[in-house]
Each structure stands twice: as C-alpha cells, then as structure tokens.
Amino acid sequence: MSKTALITGITGQDGSYLAELLLSKGYKVHGVIRRVAMEDEIHRLWRIKKILKDITLHSGSLESYARIFNIILKIKPDEIYHLGAQSYVDYSFEDEFSTFSMNINGTHYMLSAVKEFADSNVKFYFAASSEMFGKAKESPQHENTPFHPRSAYGISKVTGFHLVQNYREAYKLHASNGILFNHESPRRGFEFVTRKISQGVARIKKGFQKKLKLGNIKSKRDWGHAKDYVNAMWLMLQQKNGGDYVIGTGKQHTVENFAEKAFAHVGLNYRDHITIDKNLMRPAEVDSLLADYSKAKKVLKWEPKISFDDLVINMVENDLENVKE
C-alpha cells in the first residue's frame, strides 16, 4: 500500500526535489500552497511544472490553524515535511514580524494539528537551519553545538527546533529536525547569493551585463546540492524514532571561491567583474559555518554525493541555457 506525504513549501527548491523523490518511491504526494493571483501562480509553480499532474495541491496559509488542521484531516498523511517558511535571511532583517509570524506560528500550528492525529502515527519533519548556529562557538558544528542566531530568520528556526523537540518529548510524536547547511541547485531562488552569482556569470558571458554586485565575499559556508539533502529528509522519517540531524558536506568555501569557480567555468576572471556593494552587507553577519554530519552518516547511512565543483558547474550551465536579456 502506497504512503501519503504532505509537503509545505512544495513550490520551493527543496519541496520540488523532495516531491520528485517521493513520487519515485511510489508515494501519493500532496502540497500546501498559498492562493495568489493567476500570473504569480504560473511563475511560482515553475519548479513543479513537470509533476503537476502527479501531485495534489491544496491552497492554504501556514498562518491559518483551521486550514492546516482541515488539510491534514482530509488527506491523513503518513509523513509530513514542513519546509514552508520565509526563508530569505536578508529579508528577515527588513521584516522581522512577518518572518516570526510565518515561521514560528506556522510550525506551531503544524505540530499542534499533528498532535491531534497522534493515533495515526504520522511522522513529522521540520526544516531547521545552520543559520541557528550563527556566531558559532565551535567549528565544525554538530547536533549539540550551542545556537547563537544572528537574524530574525535564525531566531525563528531556533524556536521551531525547540517546538519540535518539545512535541517529540511531551507528546511522543515521531518528529525530526533536519539542521541543513547551505544547499543549492539550479532551482535556487534568484535572491540567494549562489543563484545571483550563477545567473550573473551567464548574463556577463552572454553580454547582457558587465558587473556583478556582491556583499561579504569572505563569508565561509558549507555548500551541498539540494538533491542530496532531500534524501536525508526522507531517511529521517524512515527511522524508528524521531531525532535531530546535522546535514552538510564537512567542507567549507567562501562566497569568493564560489564566484571564482563560476567565472572560471566560462573562461573569465572573477576579479574583472565583481564589485563590492556595502549595502548588501547584513547588519549582523554569520562569518563561518561548517557541518559535522557524522551522526547522519552513522545513523541514516547518508553522505553527500554531488561535489562543490559539480554543484557550481550545474548551476552555471543551467543559467547559460536559460538566461535572457
């Protein structure tokens, strides 16, 4: 008998890859999407366009407990993957209130609704984030590294993390936190620095622009491919009990490294095309993130398969193919 999964944030990078993975495993896949104007709808569904006929979408807001409750009641999922959030860190500095409202209340509503269906043994996954570590006190970061978030986004994810832990311990839910470090792909949003670089490289190579504005290019991150990371999400919900897992590559690169490799792939020197814009600097910067994913390797038998170099090339090649003036 096939399992049923519900994904919030199904139109995003991770949600689209996860939906494809679950479909390949024979799941019935449902997703929650916000109701928006038709022209926005077409743009927003581009990542799942090829699988629209294979999935079922439900309109609803994460900020409506009644709607979330009714969707879960209707489809009775075996697994819930809560990926939906205001996930752009820089925007969280501009609008802390909506970031807190969606990310904290949305997670709380999901967990509360799941609790009401505890008898059905539904398994719950929460998309936590390496941004929770922020100004990390140790490197690399593991499941027991203290949190020191440096943005409203990071704070909201720490709250969600503790909500999941609390519901797991208090109500015996099968609930897991995936502490995912930076993961990218050709489906990354255009507001994120990696996609900004890959698209900028493509546009410069095609002659549509000459310069690429970036902020802090010395920031160090642990970058993997989203395709690898959604497999880790699925593995967490196949375990006997819920738990907390750091997911990353254990390798670190600067934004400058990313840009250098991206430009080199098209035969250009990044130094000729990058300008530093101080307006793109965050009020509180996270300087260095590096994952210790040894628990995931041991318990989930998970390891990243796509290298940093292949990730960069994958993104640049995609944008070279699709870039338009």
Side-chain angles (χ1 to χ4, degrees), residues 109-290:
Y109 294 163
M110 292 295 297
L111 285 164
S112 179
V114 168
K115 178 170 76 79
E116 296 303 313
F117 300 96
D119 291 344
S120 64
N121 298 316
V122 60
K123 296 177 179 178
F124 183 85
Y125 169 86
F126 172 64
S129 168
S130 59
E131 287 287 329
M132 301 190 306
F133 295 120
K135 198 174 178 67
K137 293 176 173 62
E138 59 185 354
S139 187
Q141 294 89 45
H142 50 79
E143 290 78 8
N144 296 315
T145 298
F147 299 137
H148 187 156
R150 302 270 282 170
S151 65
Y153 172 77
I155 294 166
S156 74
K157 287 295 183 179
V158 170
T159 305
F161 176 92
H162 287 304
L163 278 165
V164 170
Q165 274 196 337
N166 187 255
Y167 270 74
R168 184 171 68 221
E169 293 167 5
Y171 306 113
K172 311 305 179 202
L173 297 186
H174 191 301
S176 293
N177 284 302
I179 309 172
L180 273 55
F181 279 62
N182 292 65
H183 48 291
E184 320 297 319
S185 76
R187 298 181 191 176
R188 195 46 146 158
F190 292 99
E191 69 272 26
F192 291 88
V193 69
T194 50
R195 190 67 192 279
K196 188 177 177 182
I197 292 171
S198 65
Q199 196 197 35
V201 166
R203 287 180 59 81
I204 288 168
K205 183 65 177 177
K206 295 274 182 85
F208 294 141
Q209 69 186 64
K210 291 183 178 178
K211 296 290 183 181
L212 175 63
K213 289 181 181 179
L214 296 174
N216 181 9
I217 63 172
K218 300 300 182 184
S219 288
K220 297 175 184 175
R221 292 292 184 272
D222 182 328
W223 274 302
H225 200 296
K227 235 179 183 178
D228 283 339
Y229 288 36
V230 297
N231 191 48
M233 298 176 190
W234 177 77
L235 286 168
M236 288 178 212
L237 297 201
Q238 309 319 304
Q239 304 307 304
K240 185 180 178 182
N241 298 304
D244 308 320
Y245 298 90
V246 161
I247 302 296
T249 70
K251 295 175 182 175
Q252 194 177 56
H253 304 272
T254 62
V255 173
E256 188 173 14
N257 293 151
F258 196 106
E260 182 179 9
K261 286 186 183 293
F263 276 101
H265 182 65
V266 297
L268 296 174
N269 186 331
Y270 77 103
R271 289 190 177 90
D272 297 334
H273 301 283
I274 284 179
T275 58
I276 303 302
D277 184 349
K278 290 185 178 177
N279 292 320
L280 297 175
M281 303 281 191
R282 294 180 188 174
E285 186 59 74
V286 175
D287 298 314
S288 176
L289 293 172
L290 179 63

